Amino acid sequence: MFNNSPQIFDKIISLCKRRGFIFASSEIYGGFAAIYDYGPYGVELANAVKREWWKSMVQYREDIVGLDSAIFMHPKVWEASGHVAGFSDPLAECKSCHERFRVDHLLEEAGISADEKMSEEEINKLFAENREKIKCPSCGKKDFTEARKFNLLVQSNLGNFAEDWTKNPVYLRGETCQGIYMNYKNVLDSVRVKIPFGIAQIGKAFRNEITARQFIFRTREFEQMEMQYFCSPEEEMQEYEKLRQVRWQWYLKLGLSQENLKWHQHENLVFYAKEAYDIEYNFPFGFSEIEGIHARGDYDLTQHSKFSKQDLSYTDARTNETYTPHIIEASSGVGRIMLAVLCDGYSEEGGRNVLKLKPQLAPYKVAVFPLLANKPELMAKAREVFEMLKSDFMTAWDDRGNIGKRYFSQDEIGTPYCLTIDFDTLQDNTVTIRDRDTMQQERVKVGELKDILIGKLS
Ligand code: ATP
């Protein structure tokens, strides 16, 4: 079913646009690089991904609470976190076509192990040694500038009315977790939580990504789902292993096939990290990161304590010890997960395109069709069924064309169940319910529909 060829990727991208999932931003002006908008079905899918995450991270957990911090923060936050000095990717420009690229990606594509954390000297040494192997992906020439570190933070003049505001910029957050660190103490002091506990947040992040490729995989504005778990130094690694398992199981529950998921362990750890793994998904362009799960030690709160001169230590009532909490994090992107779900669910069979999404993720859970649009009694009965269902389920209405086409149209956006109201419905108050994946139809009573759907969708 899953096919990881570039042709399939093109088909998925085209389906996303044609069927109202994802649009290029500002398209009438020629688009805006690396920014996308979610259409009517895209926003439902994104909301469903976020809902599933929130349920597993907050609703089902007594030890994790939610947060929604602002996008803008004091600029010192980004100095303390190390982003102003070090949140950068190595950039080189092709001297011939002037396209810009990430040198670590060019090296990796040529089979040379590299990453964005290397120093400018290290990466330039590797780049120079391998120049012959690296062609410009755009024009094919081999003539590049030297790599320079390019900072990914996006700047703004918010609250700064000076002419040269770039001297004192504020930043659009490059990751949501800094808002969590900023509120660690507020949460501790206002909600009855004790270490170990976590804070979860979903929100927009912004990065001046050098290359805009692979559709919504890498965008300059994106949404992150991050959970930061605060624990004692002793329990950090044990909690880390638990979190890895929880997050892996979540992807399986979301319906992603296990063979399209794998762990990637970071070899080149930042100096403070204890351990770092990514979960990668087998996209049509290869295995790539969808989530990072990292053991960060006490780096974050130590830095913020130093820069803010505030005491962020914790006295553990279990041991009477005072320490700076250690943090483990699970950090994922809504767009990347949506893309994984779309790639995993896309299927072509028997002349139809089907998005085999888990029902929890499907934009519409059920569609209602009157058999014939020109029969008022069928239309009235179908409306009655539609009105009955729409308060409990996202319900689609379709009375155009023939039933076969309506089924195929719903299959393509992943609607798991379709109901047809026909002349028998008027006699015995039953409808046909048709299953997206098996295409099996059965006759069920209108009065039992809600319970049947709840059973199928849970
Ligand atoms: P990459 O190496 O692909 O640039 P990263 O290691 O910088 O990603 P993190 O900083 O760990 O990513 O961010 C956590 C998660 O946020 C990623 O796993 C991904 O799902 C998401 N994410 C990061 N950058 C982007 C982006 N530019 N567009 C969409 N999602 C992103």
Side-chain angles (χ1 to χ4, degrees), residues 298-368:
D298 64 0
Y299 175 76
D300 304 287
L301 292 184
T302 303
Q303 284 294 101
H304 286 304
S305 189
K306 204 154 84 189
F307 277 68
S308 67
K309 303 191 176 56
Q310 302 286 317
D311 180 12
L312 298 176
S313 66
Y314 177 85
T315 302
D316 199 321
R318 297 172 296 182
T319 55
N320 254 338
E321 261 180 81
T322 298
Y323 53 81
T324 300
H326 284 221
I327 293 177
I328 56 172
E329 70 169 3
S331 170
S332 58
V334 176
R336 285 194 189 176
I337 296 172
M338 278 170 68
L339 190 59
V341 161
L342 288 165
C343 293
D344 219 78
Y346 181 81
S347 160
E348 297 173 359
E349 50 189 50
R352 62 179 191 142
N353 296 335
V354 197
L355 270 187
K356 295 191 168 170
L357 305 176
K358 270 267 159 129
Q360 302 94 293
L361 297 183
Y364 284 114
K365 311 301 176 201
V366 56
V368 176

Side-chain angles (χ1 to χ4, degrees), residues 207 209 217-219 222 224 289-291 331-333 336:
R207 294 182 187 179
E209 297 282 358
F217 178 81
R218 187 177 301 286
T219 52
F222 57 99
Q224 283 190 315
E289 172 181 342
I290 51 176
E291 169 155 349
S331 170
S332 58
R336 285 194 189 176

Side-chain angles (χ1 to χ4, degrees), residues 217-257:
F217 178 81
R218 187 177 301 286
T219 52
R220 296 191 175 126
E221 172 179 340
F222 57 99
E223 213 165 8
Q224 283 190 315
M225 305 191 286
E226 296 202 287
M227 197 283 290
Q228 307 288 313
Y229 202 74
F230 301 85
C231 40
S232 72
E234 293 74 33
E235 64 202 350
E236 179 177 7
M237 294 321 288
Q238 187 190 331
E239 291 297 339
Y240 179 72
E241 282 312 316
K242 277 202 249 168
L243 183 61
R244 279 192 5 157
Q245 293 321 312
V246 166
R247 296 305 303 144
W248 181 262
Q249 291 304 323
W250 185 78
Y251 285 104
L252 297 182
K253 212 170 145 222
L254 213 58
L256 296 184
S257 343

Side-chain angles (χ1 to χ4, degrees), residues 111-127:
I112 301 136
S113 172
D115 73 54
E116 77 278 7
K117 291 186 217 81
M118 290 173 152
S119 70
E120 217 164 78
E121 294 72 51
E122 282 172 322
I123 201 116
N124 269 316
K125 186 163 172 278
L126 263 189
F127 197 28

